[in-house]
């Protein structure tokens, strides 16, 4: 007799399914439905916490989680039949969770103007704060590309190439629209935002660094160094006035891989360090476009 609103769904095994539904307009009326016969029949239970659940995730049938508002995590080790509560100690809302294996996991969330990332190395029994920053608002999704490369997405995409020791801004979504991200396989990561789909098969792009305070006499994209390179190379460019900068990587076929920079920068010299640890050997092209000026350099990755 009331509105039934889906919140999140997860497969526990091929036959076991967990589904969170909200009844009516009350945000505390959340129920967990469990099926052990691929959806033919269901049992239900009221989720044992008044905070709003955002995502249910099972790494395997004996390790399940629900992340909720106000920094609350529920954990199950018996296919969702019963749950224990873990309080992260922060009041931010939690939106997504991902596990690389039975021990290592990441939770993302935040507020309207801050992002939070939490990390566990003991199967979700305890969680430590991995990142709290105003670089973006809430992070809505997180995905492992491989054991060291992790991507998180909100109004921006953040990435790490060292398992979460450092997180670097990768892409800013247009119109401040939030996006969601997922690793398609070990080579490809897909993100979606309003009116756009993004794809990358390269590694994590490190933070853009200004080089001194001198104003250059011209716009220029320098040859990357070293080149050829094995894992990292430095991409340097200069702007002779404040400009909107578009710095893009392409593969050998001319297909756009990712936008390294897509925003306005002050006049000056800049450097990106591209860590290509997750990329295949081959030829890449880096193109700089600034107010009608365009320059392209060739990059050779050899592993």
């Amino acid at each position: 007799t009331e509105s039934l609103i889906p919140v999140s769904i997860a497969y526990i095994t091929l036959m076991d399914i967990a589904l969170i539904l909200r009844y009516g307009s009350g945000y505390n009326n959340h129920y967990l439905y469990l099926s052990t016969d691929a959806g033919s029949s269901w049992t239900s239970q009221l989720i044992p916490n008044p905070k709003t659940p955002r995502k249910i995730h099972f790494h395997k049938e004996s390790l399940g989680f629900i992340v909720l508002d106000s920094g609350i995590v529920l954990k199950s080790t018996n296919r969702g039949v019963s749950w224990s509560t873990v309080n992260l100690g922060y009041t931010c809302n939690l939106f997504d969770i991902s596990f690389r294996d039975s021990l290592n996991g990441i939770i993302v969330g935040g507020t309207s103007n801050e992002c939070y990332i939490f990390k566990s190395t003991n199967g979700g029994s305890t969680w430590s704060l991995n990142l709290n920053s105003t670089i973006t608002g809430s992070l809505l999704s997180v995905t492992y590309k491989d054991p060291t490369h992790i991507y998180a997405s909100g109004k921006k995409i953040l990435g790490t190439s060292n398992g979460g020791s450092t997180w670097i801004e990768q892409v800013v979504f247009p119109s401040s629209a939030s996006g969601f991200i997922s690793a398609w396989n070990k080579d490809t990561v897909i993100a979606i935002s309003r009116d756009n789909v993004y794809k990358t098969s390269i590694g994590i792009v490190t933070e853009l660094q200004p080089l001194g305070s001198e104003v250059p006499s011209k716009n220029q994209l320098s040859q990357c160094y070293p080149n050829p390179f094995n894992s990292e190379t430095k991409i340097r460019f200069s702007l002779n006035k404040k400009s909107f900068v578009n710095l893009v990587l392409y593969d050998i076929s001319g297909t756009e891989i990712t936008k390294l920079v897509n925003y306005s920068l002050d006049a000056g010299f800049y450097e990106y360090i591209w860590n290509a640890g997750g990329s295949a050997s081959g030829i890449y092209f880096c193109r700089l476009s600034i107010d009608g000026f365009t320059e392209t350099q060739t990059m050779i990755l050899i592993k």
Side-chain angles (χ1 to χ4, degrees):
T1 59
E2 296 181 277
S3 300
L4 193 61
I5 301 173
V7 175
S8 183
I9 190 171
Y11 275 91
I12 305 172
T13 68
L14 289 176
M15 298 297 291
D16 297 76
I17 310 171
L19 173 65
I20 296 177
L21 299 172
R22 187 178 84 227
Y23 283 115
S25 58
Y27 282 90
N28 291 336
N29 300 325
H30 288 88
Y31 286 81
L32 174 67
Y33 277 77
L34 297 174
S35 175
T36 58
D37 53 14
S40 296
S41 61
W42 299 84
T43 60
S44 66
Q45 57 178 288
L46 182 66
I47 291 181
N49 196 287
K51 303 302 180 183
T52 301
R54 303 288 184 174
K55 181 69 176 288
I56 186 168
H57 169 82
F58 276 83
H59 174 67
K60 56 182 181 179
E61 60 184 281
S62 61
L63 188 61
F65 297 89
I66 301 174
V67 295
L68 304 92
D69 285 354
S70 300
I72 301 297
V73 180
L74 302 180
K75 179 181 178 180
S76 175
T77 57
N78 57 6
R79 300 189 183 188
V81 175
S82 61
W83 299 83
S84 59
T85 300
V86 180
N87 192 326
L88 300 190
Y90 295 83
T91 58
C92 61
N93 295 336
L94 307 177
F95 289 99
D96 198 14
I97 180 172
S98 180
F99 267 77
R100 173 172 65 87
D101 51 39
S102 59
L103 294 177
N104 297 279
I106 294 285
I107 291 175
V108 298
T111 65
S112 60
N113 55 11
E114 287 184 297
C115 64
Y116 283 79
I117 300 176
F118 301 91
K119 185 176 181 180
S120 177
T121 58
N122 58 10
S125 297
T126 59
W127 297 84
S128 60
L129 181 64
N130 185 234
L131 176 71
N132 173 214
S133 173
T134 57
I135 189 173
T136 183
S138 288
L139 294 167
L140 303 182
S141 63
V142 62
T143 188
Y144 278 89
K145 181 173 181 286
D146 55 46
T148 58
H149 291 76
I150 315 168
Y151 292 84
S153 171
K155 292 182 179 179
K156 300 179 180 180
I157 294 176
L158 305 183
T160 176
S161 60
N162 49 28
S165 296
T166 56
W167 290 86
I168 305 300
E169 179 183 316
Q170 303 295 293
V171 174
V172 180
F173 290 125
S175 305
S176 296
S178 293
F180 297 84
I181 195 163
S182 180
W184 179 251
N185 54 40
K186 67 182 181 65
D187 298 317
T188 303
V189 177
I190 299 290
I192 59 171
S193 182
R194 182 184 303 164
D195 301 326
N196 290 279
V197 177
Y198 297 81
K199 173 184 174 182
T200 182
S201 58
I202 64 172
I204 301 297
V205 181
T206 63
E207 187 176 11
L208 180 67
Q209 298 285 348
L211 302 176
S213 58
E214 182 182 355
V215 176
S217 59
K218 62 179 181 179
N219 297 326
Q220 184 177 16
L221 174 64
S222 301
Q223 181 59 259
C224 67
Y225 178 82
N227 192 30
F229 64 102
N230 177 271
S231 59
E232 286 189 352
T233 189
K234 297 177 180 180
I235 302 171
R236 292 186 175 183
F237 62 93
S238 59
L239 313 176
N240 61 7
K241 63 179 181 179
K242 184 174 182 178
S243 305
F244 188 89
V245 177
N246 190 256
L247 186 67
V248 184
L249 285 183
Y250 298 87
D251 63 18
I252 186 63
S253 69
T255 301
E256 180 179 313
I257 302 299
T258 191
K259 288 183 173 66
L260 307 184
V261 178
N262 191 39
Y263 44 84
S264 181
L265 290 172
D266 291 329
F269 294 90
Y270 293 89
E271 178 183 272
Y272 253 116
I273 300 177
W274 178 33
N275 183 330
S279 302
S281 298
I283 297 175
Y284 295 85
F285 301 100
C286 183
R287 187 183 70 185
L288 176 69
S289 300
I290 311 168
D291 295 337
F293 169 86
T294 300
E295 190 167 2
T296 303
Q297 297 287 358
T298 302
M299 310 159 66
I300 304 174
L301 172 59
I302 299 176
K303 292 186 175 181

